[in-house]
Amino acid sequence: NEEPCSTPLPTLPPSTSTPTPTPEEPYNRETLLSTIYSDYSGSDYLNESVWVANSFDSPFYSGFLSKIELKLGNPYGLTTGNFEVHLYSSDSNGNVGSSLIKITEGSISELEQNENPDSTYIIYDLNIELLPARKYFIVVKGISLDVLDEFAYFSFPYTENPIGINSENTLYSYTRNTGETWSLPYLGNPNLLNVFFDNPNLPTPE
């Protein structure tokens, strides 16, 4: 990934955050994308203008986007500013399209103060219908950051050696102008995330 910022990171105290406990998964939950257990290679630094997108493909049957797990960090110890996670469509050429829904908004100050965080930001209880056999993008962006502060970045780690379900197929793209234009998506350097899908077509276990 092309890193938008190469400014050296400050020395910060160890984080006291802990991973969020994961509730028992439903019987019909499927993993559409998993790269979160891949080796860490670096970080994309995100702000008001610089956002990143990672693609996943929906199955050949209908269902619902149900949960997303992301490795997000606050290496500069920001005390203000938020981030948003969106579901984007793809255009007719398979590139990043437009936002379909804002999935969540969170406070950057609550993220672990680490470039490569140990904890995972988990978005539960989603119920977003996905059309069959479509390419979608998970987009992470900075919001309400001080645009005059060149150090107002938070990080989204990526890997050069993706492993996991469909990790070899996910496309990475970025924008440096608040989504006016996006880079052509390419394989090989996805960010660290998991995407889950609930399949309503599976019969209830007896």
Side-chain angles (χ1 to χ4, degrees):
N1 290 8
E2 297 184 32
E3 299 184 22
C5 174
S6 59
T7 306
L9 295 173
T11 301
L12 295 169
S15 171
T16 57
S17 65
T18 56
T20 304
T22 302
E24 184 177 349
E25 299 290 352
Y27 72 94
N28 62 341
R29 181 151 294 170
E30 302 174 2
T31 302
L32 297 186
L33 173 65
S34 177
T35 64
I36 211 164
Y37 305 111
S38 303
D39 292 334
Y40 166 75
S41 298
S43 286
D44 285 318
Y45 300 102
L46 313 183
N47 59 19
E48 287 266 2
S49 301
V50 180
W51 310 340
V52 295
N54 291 266
S55 76
F56 68 93
D57 297 320
S58 61
F60 288 95
Y61 42 85
S62 60
F64 299 89
L65 177 65
S66 54
K67 187 174 78 167
I68 300 172
E69 299 176 341
L70 304 160
K71 290 287 188 181
L72 298 173
N74 179 16
Y76 292 100
L78 301 179
T79 57
T80 61
N82 295 336
F83 63 91
E84 291 181 353
V85 180
H86 286 242
L87 178 68
Y88 270 58
S89 63
S90 59
D91 65 18
S92 58
N93 296 314
N95 301 323
V96 180
S98 58
S99 178
L100 298 172
I101 187 172
K102 181 175 77 172
I103 295 171
T104 194
E105 181 173 347
S107 172
I108 294 173
S109 64
E110 297 177 359
L111 299 175
E112 184 178 341
Q113 292 186 20
N114 194 332
E115 183 181 20
N116 181 26
D118 295 321
S119 60
T120 302
Y121 186 85
I122 304 176
I123 308 170
Y124 294 111
D125 299 327
L126 301 176
N127 192 38
I128 302 171
E129 185 173 7
L130 301 179
L131 297 175
R134 300 292 179 92
K135 184 177 297 297
Y136 294 94
F137 287 86
I138 300 296
V139 172
V140 180
K141 58 180 75 174
I143 298 294
S144 303
L145 289 165
D146 183 357
V147 295
L148 300 179
D149 183 358
E150 65 177 340
F151 298 106
Y153 292 94
F154 68 104
S155 67
F156 193 5
Y158 68 86
T159 180
E160 294 177 351
N161 299 289
I163 60 171
I165 296 172
N166 293 324
S167 61
E168 71 281 4
N169 298 321
T170 181
L171 297 171
Y172 166 87
S173 180
Y174 63 88
T175 176
R176 291 194 174 96
N177 52 19
T178 62
E180 290 185 21
T181 59
W182 289 85
S183 69
L184 291 177
Y186 59 90
L187 294 169
N189 295 122
N191 294 102
L192 302 184
L193 73 162
N194 289 336
V195 177
F196 299 93
F197 173 87
D198 284 359
N199 180 1
N201 305 300
L202 291 179
T204 304
E206 297 181 359

